[in-house]
Amino acid sequence: MPGVFVLLPSVLAAALWTHVRRELPRECVGALGGWVRGEQVQVRALYPLPNVSPQPEREYLADPGELLRVLRAMQREGLELVALYHSHPHGPAAPSASDRQLAAYPVPYLIADPRHGHLRAYLLPGGEEVEIRGAE
């Protein structure tokens, strides 16, 4: 996916940050629905998911049943899974070893660092950074 960028509307970016702050000091996790148009990943919907990790302050694990429910909802709405997001409450907004190891979908993974206000995206497990662009 070289040259790919994520087009994230400001209202959805604000909702993502609200989710990040609401879950502190735990990591949050969620899915982003939308469409892929050429090199653009167009985000149209945000789906917060429960973090069922036994160590939620250090890692995330999306509830599998809720993720399946969200994927079905996306399908009904004519959307596809275009990205996943989670937070690193103490930073940085970079993939950890477990993030790379557990990456299961060929979509960008957005990582939020609430301590420094950074939001970055990566293709995992390789770790190639993907540009995030704002949209209205």
Side-chain angles (χ1 to χ4, degrees):
M1 293 178 102
V4 168
F5 63 93
V6 175
L7 197 57
L8 182 64
S10 58
V11 67
L12 295 179
L16 187 151
W17 282 109
T18 296
H19 185 207
V20 167
R21 287 188 293 275
R22 185 176 66 237
E23 292 297 319
L24 287 172
R26 300 162 43 95
E27 290 194 13
C28 76
V29 59
L32 299 170
W35 309 282
V36 177
R37 300 280 190 258
E39 294 186 336
Q40 287 187 13
V41 174
Q42 299 177 347
V43 179
R44 292 292 175 251
L46 180 135
Y47 303 87
L49 293 165
N51 181 354
V52 296
S53 166
Q55 298 179 322
E57 292 80 19
R58 295 187 32 207
E59 63 186 21
Y60 74 94
L61 177 62
D63 180 294
E66 285 298 306
L67 179 57
L68 182 58
R69 183 189 61 73
V70 161
L71 293 172
R72 287 180 178 151
M74 284 183 200
Q75 188 175 34
R76 283 191 306 275
E77 296 163 15
L79 303 175
E80 58 190 90
L81 176 68
V82 295
L84 293 161
Y85 71 89
H86 73 281
S87 61
H88 288 172
H90 305 291
S96 67
S98 65
D99 292 343
R100 289 175 190 262
Q101 185 177 30
L102 298 175
Y105 294 91
V107 297
Y109 284 73
L110 282 66
I111 303 173
D113 170 0
R115 178 175 280 179
H116 299 102
H118 297 156
L119 180 65
R120 297 172 74 184
Y122 303 87
L123 296 176
L124 299 178
E128 301 86 6
E129 190 161 2
V130 174
E131 180 183 358
I132 300 173
R133 297 181 186 172
E136 295 307 317

